Amino acid sequence: MGNVKTIAVLTSGGDAPGMNAAIRAVVRAGIHYGFKVLGIRKGFEGLIHGDIQEMTARTVGDIIHRGGTILQTTRSPLFKTEEGLHKAMSMAKVFGIDAIVVIGGDGSFRGALDLCRLGMNVIGIPGTIDNDIACTDYTIGYDTAMNTVQDAIDKIRDTAYSHERCSVLEVMGRHAGYIAVNVSISGGAEAVVLPERTLDIDVDVIKPIIEGRNRGKKHYLVIVAEGVEGKAIEIAKEITDKTGIEARATILGHIQRGGSPTVHDRVMASMMGAKAVETLRDGNSNRIIAFKDNQVVDLDIEEALKMQKTLPEELIELSKMLSL
Ligand code: ADP
């Protein structure tokens, strides 16, 4: 790695609460260690078009508690082309950028790897509500999103009880069921439908609802992960048809991506942001910052992107066991 003097930071892909806390940590740790820090707006798209400005300790004041990302974010199809990638590299040269810190998900890290292959120093920080990045146990935004869902569950539960209804709640998570399985436990769901498992609706959903009713339950909750495409409405209809219980589907949608980050997300983002800068200060690059065995570590980007992650079977079993 060359002598890094100027670091640029960007957010890319889907936004997540806590991204601002990560930006703040990168900027302030960067200043602390004597780097010049630039902010790239709108992810890789902003890099291509030179939407870049210098960051100071003050430009990141008053943002740690705000959801979203002050640098804004995009999904950039242009960046995925050879032409876009080369334009991005040339613009990085124009601004004298020696290293780029990419805060985003798996797709953003693949973009960072492309930059790294052309000679740019890159560091990735996992920022996505889905917790679906294989190399890390935790991604920034996950805790806040789950708390937002839990808040919705508690409200829906009140009205479901009054009307003796079944609520079918679709939650985010892209192709993964991390949010779904955790909120099925914290929300006391009768059933959870996950993209990682094939669904047998009679066994997995209808049976626990009927058994619950026969034991005296007055309302029911079914969590459906969005990765089980478009299923929430269908599942609600089938529950009504088969059990006679009125079932209503609620698709929570983007409410899960917003809001003030929890303490956990702010602290994780702060630790990961500082670690990204410290990795560069130590002369290392082309790393992904990860949370492994309760520690913030840095991993080789190519190795990190080859890793696989599976949903813990124990969580699925726990959810079932406690839904009696
Ligand atoms: P996330 O980072 O949240 O997973 P995306 O998958 O949309 O979000 O990726 C964000 C951006 O990263 C994309 O718009 C694109 O510019 C870049 N990107 C995604 N996948 C790749 C890839 N395989 N190669 C290069 N760049 C990619």
Side-chain angles (χ1 to χ4, degrees):
M1 192 196 77
N3 195 11
V4 172
K5 292 194 176 70
T6 302
I7 301 173
V9 58
L10 62 81
T11 48
S12 168
D15 69 338
M19 278 185 163
N20 280 328
I23 295 168
R24 172 180 178 271
V26 170
V27 171
R28 292 195 173 167
I31 292 167
H32 173 83
Y33 291 115
F35 293 104
K36 178 177 175 183
V37 189
L38 305 179
I40 301 169
R41 292 183 62 243
K42 300 184 180 168
F44 294 125
E45 198 69 25
L47 177 58
I48 292 169
H49 296 120
D51 196 349
I52 299 168
Q53 57 212 332
E54 185 158 357
M55 306 293 277
T56 68
R58 293 309 340 131
T59 54
V60 292
D62 233 356
I63 66 165
I64 195 166
H65 61 293
R66 284 171 55 190
T69 156
I70 58 158
L71 289 175
Q72 298 185 286
T73 180
T74 49
R75 301 195 196 267
S76 170
L78 176 58
F79 180 77
K80 276 175 118 172
T81 65
E82 277 294 306
E83 187 202 347
L85 181 63
H86 283 94
K87 278 187 173 168
M89 279 302 282
S90 319
M91 194 56 82
K93 280 207 188 96
V94 171
F95 281 83
I97 296 169
D98 302 312
I100 302 180
V101 176
V102 174
I103 305 168
D106 222 38
S108 302
F109 291 170
R110 288 182 200 282
L113 180 59
D114 286 350
L115 286 171
C116 148
R117 286 183 175 142
L118 292 184
M120 177 56 67
N121 296 300
V122 297
I123 304 277
I125 296 180
T128 161
I129 64 164
D130 306 327
N131 202 29
D132 60 348
I133 301 180
C135 67
T136 183
D137 296 339
Y138 194 79
T139 61
I140 297 164
Y142 180 46
D143 187 58
T144 306
M146 287 193 295
N147 278 285
T148 301
V149 175
Q150 187 53 55
D151 215 43
I153 289 175
D154 293 345
K155 292 190 167 92
I156 283 174
R157 185 184 272 273
D158 289 344
T159 165
Y161 176 87
S162 307
H163 292 267
E164 204 161 333
R165 271 188 197 134
C166 174
S167 304
V168 180
L169 192 68
E170 184 184 297
V171 303
M172 282 183 140
R174 283 239 250 186
H175 309 296
Y178 291 95
I179 294 179
V181 76
N182 277 284
V183 300
S184 79
I185 294 168
S186 68
E190 273 59 47
V192 56
V193 182
L194 301 164
E196 289 88 350
R197 294 285 177 279
T198 15
L199 173 67
D200 180 337
I201 191 153
D202 290 334
V203 175
D204 301 329
V205 179
I206 304 294
K207 189 165 173 261
I209 291 175
I210 292 173
E211 285 178 349
R213 178 179 61 193
N214 295 349
R215 276 193 301 271
K217 284 199 179 185
K218 294 280 178 262
H219 59 88
Y220 316 86
L221 174 67
V222 177
I223 301 290
V224 180
E226 72 172 334
V228 188
E229 273 154 41
K231 275 271 190 225
I233 293 168
E234 262 174 55
I235 290 172
K237 274 200 192 116
E238 209 162 330
I239 292 169
T240 305
D241 283 353
K242 290 189 168 164
T243 66
I245 296 164
E246 190 189 354
R248 292 271 176 99
T250 304
I251 296 163
L252 276 188
H254 278 129
I255 195 169
Q256 295 160 95
R257 290 249 290 264
S260 183
T262 58
V263 170
H264 190 59
D265 273 323
R266 295 182 202 197
V267 173
M268 289 300 297
S270 300
M271 290 200 296
M272 287 182 169
K275 179 76 176 174
V277 174
E278 283 160 2
T279 301
L280 290 168
R281 176 207 56 180
D282 294 343
N284 300 315
S285 76
N286 308 335
R287 315 288 291 171
I288 300 287
I289 306 304
F291 192 64
K292 278 267 166 217
D293 305 321
N294 277 323
Q295 280 199 321
V296 178
V297 295
D298 59 291
L299 307 170
D300 175 76
I301 186 167
E302 296 218 32
E303 293 302 313
L305 288 178
K306 280 186 210 145
M307 292 179 184
Q308 305 280 331
K309 186 168 173 178
T310 50
L311 196 60
E313 190 62 39
E314 313 86 79
L315 287 183
I316 305 173
E317 290 308 314
L318 180 65
S319 178
K320 272 192 203 151
M321 181 173 83
L322 301 184
S323 69
L324 284 181

